[in-house]
Amino acid sequence: MDTLHPDVDHVLFDQAEIASIVERMGAEITRDYEGRDLVLIAVLRGAVVFMGDLMRQIKVPLAIDFMAVSSYGAAAKSSGIVRIVKDLDIDIKGRDVLIVEDILDSGLTLHYLMKNLSSRRPASLEVATFLWKDVRGKQAAINPKYVGTHCPDDFVVGYGLDYAERYRNLPYVGVLKPEVYS
Ligand code: IMP
Ligand code: MG
């Protein structure tokens, strides 16, 4: 059993739950992308852990690339400002692109990314997100094709997700104690 990090209030998804979610998503993607030209694009840095697990559960040939966008800074609330910090190295024109995201929160990041990537004329463009936050109020209209699981509208960390660049290495997803960021 993991020792709970003192800044984490409670665990939402433990290692075993995460593994079975990712295995299920990998099987869905494997089934859908047979015979296609799959490119996984992970959004740095939060999605790297999920990307590493997911790609090994996908049994069809694929390429990977990374983008870095910034929308949060060190704050716990979305700023609405999205800018590309690192662009793709490969050309996605005519290829079957799947964006790999750690968490869909306000949707601002994905909304921007989908617009940006679709202008490069991929054959298809879909989203796989590990978490989909049940947000009260406004959320950009994003319809991810693959969803790991829903999570409550709390600030969550671990499994790649950070607060001020910390906690990414926790092997579980947990709710951060509000006193840590308030
Ligand atoms: P959105 O643009 O509001 O959908 O947020 C997207 C990005 O914000 C995610 O890729 C995460 O990096 C970050 N983010 C949103 N919610 C959380 C959270 O609860 N914990 C950690 N990072 C988060
Ligand atoms: Mg982040």
Side-chain angles (χ1 to χ4, degrees):
M1 229 201 97
D2 305 314
T3 330
L4 190 62
H5 191 289
D7 294 349
V8 172
D9 187 73
H10 59 280
V11 173
L12 285 176
F13 307 105
D14 66 18
Q15 282 190 77
E17 289 170 294
I18 291 171
S20 79
I21 289 167
V22 176
E23 193 183 330
R24 190 249 307 150
M25 294 178 82
E28 290 169 3
I29 294 164
T30 299
R31 180 198 63 208
D32 293 350
Y33 285 86
E34 183 74 61
R36 295 170 70 188
D37 185 17
L38 178 59
V39 182
L40 300 181
I41 295 177
V43 184
L44 294 171
R45 289 178 288 271
V48 289
V49 179
F50 175 46
M51 173 74 139
D53 284 348
L54 183 66
M55 62 187 281
R56 288 175 293 172
Q57 295 298 330
I58 299 173
K59 311 301 180 190
V60 295
L62 58 84
I64 64 169
D65 203 350
F66 298 89
M67 273 182 98
V69 298
S70 136
S71 78
Y72 258 61
K77 274 271 181 297
S78 189
S79 66
I81 301 158
V82 181
R83 68 191 169 92
I84 294 184
V85 178
K86 183 223 169 285
D87 207 343
L88 297 176
D89 291 319
I90 63 174
D91 187 2
I92 58 167
K93 189 166 193 261
R95 308 188 71 178
D96 294 296
V97 172
L98 183 59
I99 301 174
V100 175
E101 253 288 37
D102 49 1
I103 187 166
L104 174 51
D105 184 353
S106 72
L108 285 169
T109 309
L110 273 176
H111 181 79
Y112 171 83
L113 265 182
M114 304 269 309
K115 230 175 79 181
N116 182 289
L117 293 178
S118 63
S119 74
R120 307 180 198 197
R121 304 273 172 261
S124 63
L125 181 62
E126 300 290 352
V127 173
T129 187
F130 180 67
L131 294 173
W132 193 352
K133 204 185 265 192
D134 296 322
V135 181
R136 291 175 280 265
K138 249 189 93 164
Q139 192 169 38
I142 305 280
N143 202 355
K145 186 162 185 195
Y146 308 96
V147 178
T149 180
H150 285 257
C151 79
D153 193 4
D154 293 317
F155 200 82
V156 297
V157 293
Y159 197 60
L161 290 156
D162 73 305
Y163 172 65
E165 296 306 323
R166 295 182 62 202
Y167 316 106
R168 293 194 196 276
N169 56 328
L170 296 178
Y172 51 81
V173 174
V175 174
L176 193 63
K177 288 180 180 167
E179 59 260 36
V180 177
Y181 57 84
S182 56

